[in-house]
Amino acid sequence: DSGVTQTPKHLITATGQRVTLRCSPRSGDLSVYWYQQSLDQGLQFLIQYYNGEERAKGNILERFSAQQFPDLHSELNLSSLELGDSALYFCASSVETYNEQFFGPGTRLTVL
Amino acid sequence: AQSVTQLDSHVSVSEGTPVLLRCNYSSSYSPSLFWYVQHPNKGLQLLLKYTSAATLVKGINGFEAEFKKSETSFHLTKPSAHMSDAAEYFCVVRGQGQNFVFGPGTRLSVLP
């Protein structure tokens, strides 16, 4: 158990809908990262927050957004969902930006 | 720019035989290197990391990796494979001041 929690574990929704994925980092970790893992694209970095501020952006679509709250938990919002958004979404956390990352168990999103 | 190449998408070994998973990297700076393992339907778990100390790094579950700067390689090895080692393995590079870059992964199968 990495100490990173993610909810929900599974999410099934329809095209065009909006969902929110939640992540709680390990105690003491200030950085939160979001990744998307799909069969065709592999593991893709989406976005990073550090102590509430956006620190780095990867291959995140405009339909997706994230934030990190004062208690350091983070949410990833996915809107206008498409079939291709079906994937595993992982959250990771680290103490500082460039330390090793600890991954949560992931949220499996299925868009029908 | 940084990049990671995992030379084999799939490696198959017999239980009790050695494991070799190959990783080559490209980085403009002195890199930090990591290996993560992902078991089916699980999050990623840190196996080991290299951060410019000893070039031979020991990790969990009997795995180790050797950093070879001249060959820009960070291959993962284990003397004797166990059935529980069957998983996906990711090599990761992080250059100075950079975010993580994941390789495409190598799927390890262990045959009885």
Side-chain angles (χ1 to χ4, degrees), chain B residues 42-60:
Chain B
K42 300 283 188 184
L44 280 76
Q45 180 185 18
L46 180 67
L47 270 180
L48 49 81
K49 64 177 181 179
Y50 165 78
T51 54
S52 76
T55 56
L56 183 62
V57 181
K58 294 190 185 298
I60 62 171

Side-chain angles (χ1 to χ4, degrees), chain B residues 75-93:
Chain B
H75 301 335
L76 182 70
T77 60
K78 183 173 180 177
S80 176
H82 191 272
M83 296 296 289
S84 61
D85 295 327
E88 189 90 14
Y89 291 80
F90 294 92
C91 182
V92 183
V93 65

Side-chain angles (χ1 to χ4, degrees), chain A residues 33 35 37 43 45 48 56 88 90 97-106 108, chain B residues 34 36 38 41-46 49 90 94-95 97-100 102-104:
Chain A
Y33 311 77
Y35 292 87
Q37 186 179 38
L43 197 63
F45 166 66
Q48 178 207 353
L88 263 172
F90 287 106
T97 295
Y98 304 119
N99 294 89
E100 60 267 34
Q101 297 176 19
F102 294 88
F103 282 76
R108 182 173 292 280
Chain B
F34 308 81
Y36 281 82
Q38 183 181 26
N41 299 311
K42 300 283 188 184
L44 280 76
Q45 180 185 18
L46 180 67
K49 64 177 181 179
F90 294 92
R94 178 179 64 71
Q98 305 290 319
N99 251 316
F100 276 31
F102 282 77

Side-chain angles (χ1 to χ4, degrees), chain A residues 40-96:
Chain A
D40 54 344
Q41 300 268 19
L43 197 63
Q44 299 271 323
F45 166 66
L46 296 179
I47 196 163
Q48 178 207 353
Y49 279 81
Y50 177 80
N51 203 21
E53 301 285 329
E54 182 183 304
R55 178 63 66 92
K57 253 185 177 179
N59 300 323
I60 189 166
L61 300 172
E62 284 192 14
R63 301 183 284 108
F64 296 0
S65 65
Q67 54 184 326
Q68 186 180 27
F69 295 86
D71 67 352
L72 300 178
H73 91 272
S74 178
E75 293 180 356
L76 178 68
N77 300 297
L78 315 176
S79 61
S80 303
L81 285 167
E82 302 175 359
L83 295 177
D85 297 327
S86 295
L88 263 172
Y89 291 84
F90 287 106
C91 167
S93 72
S94 66
V95 173
E96 295 286 342

